[in-house]
Amino acid sequence: MTVFSVLRTPAVRDSVGIGVAVGAAGLAFGTTAVTAGLSPAQAVFTSLFAFTGASQFALVGVVAGGGSLVAGVLGALMLGARNTLYGLRLADLLGWRGPRRVVAAHGVIDETTAVTLAQPDRATARLAFITSYSVLGTFWVLTTLVGASATDQVHDIDALGLDAVGPAVFLGLLWPRLREGGPRAWLVSGLGAGLALATTPFLPPGVPVLLSACAACVALLRPAPSSSAVVADMNAEGADDSEGAGR
C-alpha cells in the first residue's frame, strides 16, 4: 500500500479531521490559562506534558478562583482518571510493549480513544491512534501558544464557539454505534446524557462526564450473548430446519 493510499483511508481522514477540529480548542485553554495567571510558557508546558483538555481547564479554573495549586492538581488528576480506563482497553487493542506503550500512554485521551475503538482491526486501530495523537497533540500545543500569546487581542474566546467542537465530534463518533447498537445502546446513551445534563450546573467541569459513565453499568445487568452462544443458536436453528425438510 502506497503512502498516498494510506493517507486516503477513512482512519487517517477521520483522525486528521478530529485532530484539527478539537486541537483548535487549545486557543481557549491558552487564553484561559494566561487570564488565570499562568505565563504563556507555563500554558504551553501544561498542554505539552499534561495533554488532557478537561483536566487542564480544571487546573486553571481552581487557580483562577484563588484555590491552591495542590487543590488544582488533585482536581485535574481526578478528571484524568478516566484515561486510565481508556488505557486498559487500548493496551489490548493496540498490543504495543515496552517504550512504545509508554509513549502511547501519553496520547490516551477521549478523542484518540474514540477514533481508535471505531476501527475494524488492529492495524487500522494503530494507524488511527498514531494519526489522531500526532495531529491533535501538535495542534493543541500550537493553538495553546497562539491563544496564550494573543490574550490581549482576544477578549471573548467564547464568541468563537470552540466549546461546541468537542461535543460535535463525539456525537459524530457516537451516532454509528447508536444506529447499530440496538435498544441497550440507546438506553445507556440516554442515561449518560441525562446524568451529564442534570449535574452540569452543579458540578465542576469534567465531573459530570465521569458521573455519566455510571450509566454504562446498565449494560452489565444483562450481558450480551457471546459469539459461541450465537453460533450454537444458529446451529440449533439449522438442525431444526433440516429436520423439518426431511419430514
Side-chain angles (χ1 to χ4, degrees):
M1 182 179 293
T2 65
V3 175
F4 182 72
S5 61
V6 170
L7 294 177
R8 295 182 61 186
T9 59
V12 172
R13 184 184 64 240
D14 295 343
S15 298
V16 170
I18 290 172
V20 172
V22 179
L27 287 169
F29 174 73
T31 303
T32 303
V34 172
T35 303
L38 275 67
S39 68
Q42 289 172 327
V44 173
F45 179 88
T46 304
S47 285
L48 181 61
F49 288 93
F51 187 52
T52 170
S55 297
Q56 293 178 226
F57 279 105
L59 173 61
V60 298
V62 171
V63 173
S68 66
L69 182 60
V70 173
V73 170
L74 289 177
L77 289 175
M78 182 185 70
L79 294 181
R82 67 189 187 280
N83 294 340
T84 303
L85 302 178
Y86 297 160
L88 293 175
R89 176 67 182 91
L90 292 184
D92 292 334
L93 177 60
L94 298 175
W96 284 326
R97 297 290 185 271
R100 286 187 296 178
R101 173 175 285 192
V102 175
V103 174
H106 180 261
V108 177
I109 58 174
D110 298 327
E111 290 79 12
T112 57
T113 300
V115 73
T116 301
L117 293 179
Q119 307 309 315
D121 53 64
R122 172 171 289 181
T124 309
R126 286 179 171 180
L127 178 62
F129 180 84
I130 293 173
T131 305
S132 59
Y133 176 26
S134 301
V135 175
L136 178 52
T138 300
F139 270 80
W140 182 256
V141 173
L142 291 178
T143 54
T144 296
L145 176 60
V146 173
S149 302
T151 302
D152 295 335
Q153 285 72 37
V154 182
H155 301 288
D156 185 11
I157 195 69
D158 291 337
L160 300 178
L162 295 176
D163 55 329
V165 173
V169 168
F170 277 110
L171 182 59
L173 292 170
L174 179 64
W175 179 249
R177 292 180 175 269
L178 288 177
R179 196 169 51 184
E180 301 171 1
R184 183 183 300 181
W186 282 98
L187 175 61
V188 172
S189 300
L191 287 176
L195 284 172
L197 289 173
T199 56
T200 293
F202 312 104
L203 297 178
V207 176
V209 177
L210 289 175
L211 185 60
S212 66
C214 297
C217 296
V218 175
L220 302 177
L221 298 178
R222 184 182 176 188
S226 63
S227 57
S228 59
V230 173
V231 172
D233 290 342
M234 293 176 62
N235 290 337
E237 291 177 1
D240 291 341
D241 293 341
S242 298
E243 291 179 3
R247 287 173 184 168

mmCIF file with all atom_site columns, all heavy atoms in Angstrom, residues 73-84:
data_model
loop_
_atom_site.group_PDB
_atom_site.id
_atom_site.type_symbol
_atom_site.label_atom_id
_atom_site.label_alt_id
_atom_site.label_comp_id
_atom_site.label_asym_id
_atom_site.label_entity_id
_atom_site.label_seq_id
_atom_site.pdbx_PDB_ins_code
_atom_site.Cartn_x
_atom_site.Cartn_y
_atom_site.Cartn_z
_atom_site.occupancy
_atom_site.B_iso_or_equiv
_atom_site.pdbx_formal_charge
_atom_site.auth_seq_id
_atom_site.auth_comp_id
_atom_site.auth_asym_id
_atom_site.auth_atom_id
_atom_site.pdbx_PDB_model_num
ATOM 1  N N   . VAL A 1 73 ? -4.272  20.547 41.161 1.00 0.00 ? 73 VAL A N   1
ATOM 2  C CA  . VAL A 1 73 ? -3.666  19.321 40.637 1.00 0.00 ? 73 VAL A CA  1
ATOM 3  C C   . VAL A 1 73 ? -4.499  18.103 41.006 1.00 0.00 ? 73 VAL A C   1
ATOM 4  O O   . VAL A 1 73 ? -4.695  17.194 40.190 1.00 0.00 ? 73 VAL A O   1
ATOM 5  C CB  . VAL A 1 73 ? -2.225  19.177 41.162 1.00 0.00 ? 73 VAL A CB  1
ATOM 6  C CG1 . VAL A 1 73 ? -1.668  17.801 40.833 1.00 0.00 ? 73 VAL A CG1 1
ATOM 7  C CG2 . VAL A 1 73 ? -1.336  20.263 40.572 1.00 0.00 ? 73 VAL A CG2 1
ATOM 8  N N   . LEU A 1 74 ? -4.999  18.075 42.246 1.00 0.00 ? 74 LEU A N   1
ATOM 9  C CA  . LEU A 1 74 ? -5.828  16.936 42.670 1.00 0.00 ? 74 LEU A CA  1
ATOM 10 C C   . LEU A 1 74 ? -7.105  16.854 41.835 1.00 0.00 ? 74 LEU A C   1
ATOM 11 O O   . LEU A 1 74 ? -7.531  15.767 41.438 1.00 0.00 ? 74 LEU A O   1
ATOM 12 C CB  . LEU A 1 74 ? -6.176  17.063 44.153 1.00 0.00 ? 74 LEU A CB  1
ATOM 13 C CG  . LEU A 1 74 ? -5.021  16.844 45.126 1.00 0.00 ? 74 LEU A CG  1
ATOM 14 C CD1 . LEU A 1 74 ? -5.488  17.068 46.567 1.00 0.00 ? 74 LEU A CD1 1
ATOM 15 C CD2 . LEU A 1 74 ? -4.440  15.443 44.981 1.00 0.00 ? 74 LEU A CD2 1
ATOM 16 N N   . GLY A 1 75 ? -7.718  18.004 41.563 1.00 0.00 ? 75 GLY A N   1
ATOM 17 C CA  . GLY A 1 75 ? -8.908  18.004 40.727 1.00 0.00 ? 75 GLY A CA  1
ATOM 18 C C   . GLY A 1 75 ? -8.606  17.544 39.313 1.00 0.00 ? 75 GLY A C   1
ATOM 19 O O   . GLY A 1 75 ? -9.382  16.792 38.707 1.00 0.00 ? 75 GLY A O   1
ATOM 20 N N   . ALA A 1 76 ? -7.465  17.978 38.786 1.00 0.00 ? 76 ALA A N   1
ATOM 21 C CA  . ALA A 1 76 ? -7.070  17.564 37.438 1.00 0.00 ? 76 ALA A CA  1
ATOM 22 C C   . ALA A 1 76 ? -6.810  16.066 37.382 1.00 0.00 ? 76 ALA A C   1
ATOM 23 O O   . ALA A 1 76 ? -7.182  15.390 36.417 1.00 0.00 ? 76 ALA A O   1
ATOM 24 C CB  . ALA A 1 76 ? -5.820  18.334 37.011 1.00 0.00 ? 76 ALA A CB  1
ATOM 25 N N   . LEU A 1 77 ? -6.186  15.526 38.428 1.00 0.00 ? 77 LEU A N   1
ATOM 26 C CA  . LEU A 1 77 ? -5.920  14.088 38.467 1.00 0.00 ? 77 LEU A CA  1
ATOM 27 C C   . LEU A 1 77 ? -7.222  13.292 38.536 1.00 0.00 ? 77 LEU A C   1
ATOM 28 O O   . LEU A 1 77 ? -7.341  12.225 37.923 1.00 0.00 ? 77 LEU A O   1
ATOM 29 C CB  . LEU A 1 77 ? -5.036  13.747 39.668 1.00 0.00 ? 77 LEU A CB  1
ATOM 30 C CG  . LEU A 1 77 ? -3.572  14.199 39.573 1.00 0.00 ? 77 LEU A CG  1
ATOM 31 C CD1 . LEU A 1 77 ? -2.848  13.907 40.888 1.00 0.00 ? 77 LEU A CD1 1
ATOM 32 C CD2 . LEU A 1 77 ? -2.863  13.498 38.418 1.00 0.00 ? 77 LEU A CD2 1
ATOM 33 N N   . MET A 1 78 ? -8.190  13.809 39.270 1.00 0.00 ? 78 MET A N   1
ATOM 34 C CA  . MET A 1 78 ? -9.473  13.109 39.381 1.00 0.00 ? 78 MET A CA  1
ATOM 35 C C   . MET A 1 78 ? -10.157 13.039 38.014 1.00 0.00 ? 78 MET A C   1
ATOM 36 O O   . MET A 1 78 ? -10.671 11.999 37.607 1.00 0.00 ? 78 MET A O   1
ATOM 37 C CB  . MET A 1 78 ? -10.376 13.818 40.376 1.00 0.00 ? 78 MET A CB  1
ATOM 38 C CG  . MET A 1 78 ? -11.715 13.116 40.571 1.00 0.00 ? 78 MET A CG  1
ATOM 39 S SD  . MET A 1 78 ? -12.836 14.024 41.648 1.00 0.00 ? 78 MET A SD  1
ATOM 40 C CE  . MET A 1 78 ? -13.253 15.418 40.613 1.00 0.00 ? 78 MET A CE  1
ATOM 41 N N   . LEU A 1 79 ? -10.137 14.162 37.294 1.00 0.00 ? 79 LEU A N   1
ATOM 42 C CA  . LEU A 1 79 ? -10.772 14.176 35.980 1.00 0.00 ? 79 LEU A CA  1
ATOM 43 C C   . LEU A 1 79 ? -10.008 13.320 34.976 1.00 0.00 ? 79 LEU A C   1
ATOM 44 O O   . LEU A 1 79 ? -10.592 12.733 34.076 1.00 0.00 ? 79 LEU A O   1
ATOM 45 C CB  . LEU A 1 79 ? -10.866 15.608 35.470 1.00 0.00 ? 79 LEU A CB  1
ATOM 46 C CG  . LEU A 1 79 ? -11.781 16.544 36.257 1.00 0.00 ? 79 LEU A CG  1
ATOM 47 C CD1 . LEU A 1 79 ? -11.785 17.917 35.631 1.00 0.00 ? 79 LEU A CD1 1
ATOM 48 C CD2 . LEU A 1 79 ? -13.194 15.994 36.321 1.00 0.00 ? 79 LEU A CD2 1
ATOM 49 N N   . GLY A 1 80 ? -8.693  13.245 35.146 1.00 0.00 ? 80 GLY A N   1
ATOM 50 C CA  . GLY A 1 80 ? -7.891  12.447 34.231 1.00 0.00 ? 80 GLY A CA  1
ATOM 51 C C   . GLY A 1 80 ? -7.932  10.959 34.519 1.00 0.00 ? 80 GLY A C   1
ATOM 52 O O   . GLY A 1 80 ? -7.377  10.166 33.747 1.00 0.00 ? 80 GLY A O   1
ATOM 53 N N   . ALA A 1 81 ? -8.606  10.580 35.610 1.00 0.00 ? 81 ALA A N   1
ATOM 54 C CA  . ALA A 1 81 ? -8.648  9.163  35.977 1.00 0.00 ? 81 ALA A CA  1
ATOM 55 C C   . ALA A 1 81 ? -9.326  8.314  34.911 1.00 0.00 ? 81 ALA A C   1
ATOM 56 O O   . ALA A 1 81 ? -9.011  7.127  34.755 1.00 0.00 ? 81 ALA A O   1
ATOM 57 C CB  . ALA A 1 81 ? -9.369  9.000  37.312 1.00 0.00 ? 81 ALA A CB  1
ATOM 58 N N   . ARG A 1 82 ? -10.224 8.916  34.159 1.00 0.00 ? 82 ARG A N   1
ATOM 59 C CA  . ARG A 1 82 ? -10.928 8.148  33.122 1.00 0.00 ? 82 ARG A CA  1
ATOM 60 C C   . ARG A 1 82 ? -9.965  7.660  32.044 1.00 0.00 ? 82 ARG A C   1
ATOM 61 O O   . ARG A 1 82 ? -10.220 6.641  31.388 1.00 0.00 ? 82 ARG A O   1
ATOM 62 C CB  . ARG A 1 82 ? -12.034 8.986  32.490 1.00 0.00 ? 82 ARG A CB  1
ATOM 63 C CG  . ARG A 1 82 ? -11.533 10.168 31.669 1.00 0.00 ? 82 ARG A CG  1
ATOM 64 C CD  . ARG A 1 82 ? -12.703 11.059 31.259 1.00 0.00 ? 82 ARG A CD  1
ATOM 65 N NE  . ARG A 1 82 ? -12.307 12.104 30.331 1.00 0.00 ? 82 ARG A NE  1
ATOM 66 C CZ  . ARG A 1 82 ? -11.723 13.238 30.686 1.00 0.00 ? 82 ARG A CZ  1
ATOM 67 N NH1 . ARG A 1 82 ? -11.441 13.451 31.976 1.00 0.00 ? 82 ARG A NH1 1
ATOM 68 N NH2 . ARG A 1 82 ? -11.414 14.143 29.791 1.00 0.00 ? 82 ARG A NH2 1
ATOM 69 N N   . ASN A 1 83 ? -8.857  8.377  31.859 1.00 0.00 ? 83 ASN A N   1
ATOM 70 C CA  . ASN A 1 83 ? -7.883  7.957  30.850 1.00 0.00 ? 83 ASN A CA  1
ATOM 71 C C   . ASN A 1 83 ? -7.230  6.628  31.214 1.00 0.00 ? 83 ASN A C   1
ATOM 72 O O   . ASN A 1 83 ? -6.761  5.907  30.330 1.00 0.00 ? 83 ASN A O   1
ATOM 73 C CB  . ASN A 1 83 ? -6.811  9.032  30.673 1.00 0.00 ? 83 ASN A CB  1
ATOM 74 C CG  . ASN A 1 83 ? -7.367  10.313 30.077 1.00 0.00 ? 83 ASN A CG  1
ATOM 75 O OD1 . ASN A 1 83 ? -8.434  10.307 29.468 1.00 0.00 ? 83 ASN A OD1 1
ATOM 76 N ND2 . ASN A 1 83 ? -6.668  11.412 30.269 1.00 0.00 ? 83 ASN A ND2 1
ATOM 77 N N   . THR A 1 84 ? -7.198  6.316  32.515 1.00 0.00 ? 84 THR A N   1
ATOM 78 C CA  . THR A 1 84 ? -6.666  5.024  32.948 1.00 0.00 ? 84 THR A CA  1
ATOM 79 C C   . THR A 1 84 ? -7.531  3.886  32.420 1.00 0.00 ? 84 THR A C   1
ATOM 80 O O   . THR A 1 84 ? -7.019  2.859  31.947 1.00 0.00 ? 84 THR A O   1
ATOM 81 C CB  . THR A 1 84 ? -6.597  4.955  34.478 1.00 0.00 ? 84 THR A CB  1
ATOM 82 O OG1 . THR A 1 84 ? -5.787  6.037  34.966 1.00 0.00 ? 84 THR A OG1 1
ATOM 83 C CG2 . THR A 1 84 ? -5.992  3.638  34.937 1.00 0.00 ? 84 THR A CG2 1
#
